[in-house]
Structure formats: structure tokens, C-alpha cells
Amino acid sequence: MSEKPVKEEAAQTVSPRQWIRLVVVYLLIPLVLLICGGDFGWWQAWLYSLLIFAAGIGGRMWAEQRHPGLIAERQSSENFHNAKAWDKVLAPLMAVSLVFPMVVVAGLDHRYHWSPEFPLWLIVIGFTLISLGYAFAAWALTENRFFFSVVCIRADRGHVVCDSGPYRFVRHPGYAGNIFPLLGIVLALGSVWALIPAAVATIITVIRTALEDQTLQDELPGYQDYARRVRYRLIPGIY
């Protein structure tokens, strides 16, 4: 079942305050990384900051252009009120775990030299994983009109299954696109110790994926048929 146009009256307008809030969050990430690293000449930190800012803000601008009102709905208190009880805990926990513990640990590792120096080819692989992962996640956001920040079924918004774009390959491409950069951050920022928060973030994401997938199969019409066509949740041929 493909997406249908959402009712015109359901669309919200994203406010300047909401854009400012997003920009502040995505500027806070490099600030934390550079302060923890104690090295404003750390080129890997600047490149990573550029990539996450471009994906985070650029991806949302692209999504808002395709689906006006999506960014406002992602910050909607109504959606959070309608979210599953377990996701009111997991959604913010996942949002924080995917970035901030990673940049804190990687930054401190750089400052205190806990890890051995990584060769350039590993750093390049890391940035490749980050770029591809964030691009895949941004594609998912722009493709799915109902890419809410919490797990909720909005029949009043005409909520239907999205099976186009990256959803042809895995059922949760947004989550998949945020998992692969975790290893990329470890390599790109040269921090073995960042594997610990990366593992924690991966576990949280996999748990949330399983719970969300079950909710969609139980409550969203057409999702069970979609799940039979697209068998894997995150990694084709594996999970």
C-alpha cells in the first residue's frame, strides 16, 4: 500500500522557533565534540560536524519541501501524547544515545589519547559509512509523510504504509541509516572507546525497531502485507 495525500487541513506550518530549535541542537553536537576534544584544529571533528549538520538540517528542509508540515508534526505535543507508553521513554533515549554519548567519548578519547592513532584508510571508511548512513536516513525522512518522531498511528491524518524509496529495501530505513554511522564515528574520529556508546545505541535502536514493527503490524492497515514483501527490518538478508 502506497502513501496517499494527507488531508490539506491536517498540515501544520513549521514555525521559525521550531527551525531555530533544530539548528541549535545540530550546532550543539559539534560544540560538545570540540570542547571535549580540546582541539579546534581537529579536522575529523570539523568534517563530522559538517556532515551531521548537512544531513540533519538539509534533510529536514528537503522533507519539509516535499511534505509541508512534517517537521511541525514531528515536534507535535499531540503526537507525543498519542505515542505508545514505551516509546515515550525509548524515543528520547534513542535520540540522545545516537549522537551525544558518542561525541563526548570520542572527544575525550582524542584529548587524552586513550586510543592508538587510526590509519587514514580507516578514517576514510568511517566517513564513508557516516555519509551513506545519514544520506539513507534523510532519504527515508523525505520519502515518508508519516515519519513521526514517536510511534503512533494517526488514522485521523490518513496514516498509511510507505513502501517507496528506501522502504523498498528495509522496513525501517531511518533507523538503519542511523545505526551504520555509529561504527563510522568510531573509525572517523579514531576512538576505540566510542564502541561502548555505539553498542548501547545499537541495542536501544534494535529494541525500538522490534516494538515499532510489531505495533505497525498490529495496528496499521496494509503493514502485514508490506512486511511479507519487504522481509527485513534493518539489514537486508540479516535482520
Side-chain angles (χ1 to χ4, degrees), residues 214-234:
Q214 189 59 55
T215 299
L216 293 171
Q217 296 211 38
D218 292 342
E219 301 182 24
L220 184 61
Y223 192 86
Q224 290 187 10
D225 291 336
Y226 166 66
R228 282 190 283 269
R229 297 196 309 274
V230 180
R231 294 178 53 197
Y232 298 100
R233 297 184 181 98
L234 294 174

Side-chain angles (χ1 to χ4, degrees), residues 9-154:
E9 63 271 20
Q12 304 177 51
T13 302
V14 60
S15 68
R17 179 179 296 181
Q18 289 171 316
W19 279 120
I20 290 171
R21 187 182 303 154
L22 283 170
V23 170
V24 167
V25 169
Y26 279 98
L27 288 178
L28 186 60
I29 294 167
L31 182 62
V32 170
L33 177 59
L34 289 165
I35 288 175
C36 289
D39 178 8
F40 283 83
W42 186 14
W43 69 267
Q44 293 105 307
W46 286 108
L47 181 54
Y48 171 72
S49 301
L50 178 63
L51 288 174
I52 194 168
F53 188 86
I57 300 302
R60 281 162 175 77
M61 292 175 66
W62 181 21
E64 185 66 18
Q65 184 177 36
R66 289 197 61 189
H67 306 296
L70 175 60
I71 302 307
E73 284 203 76
R74 282 179 56 81
Q75 299 186 38
S76 167
S77 58
E78 183 182 0
N79 279 350
F80 189 81
H81 177 74
N82 291 322
K84 299 298 180 183
W86 49 265
D87 204 44
K88 292 179 181 180
V89 176
L90 282 181
L93 188 60
M94 176 180 157
V96 171
S97 70
L98 285 171
V99 179
F100 284 103
M102 297 289 298
V103 297
V104 168
V105 172
L108 293 174
D109 194 341
H110 179 77
R111 178 190 287 264
Y112 296 111
H113 308 289
W114 294 335
S115 296
E117 185 174 351
F118 281 33
L120 181 60
W121 64 271
L122 273 182
I123 294 172
V124 170
I125 290 175
F127 278 117
T128 301
L129 288 173
I130 292 170
S131 302
L132 293 176
Y134 285 164
F136 197 64
W139 186 18
L141 174 64
T142 59
E143 193 68 30
N144 188 356
R145 174 65 184 84
F146 305 98
F147 198 109
F148 301 136
S149 57
V150 290
V151 177
C152 61
I153 308 300
R154 298 302 305 270

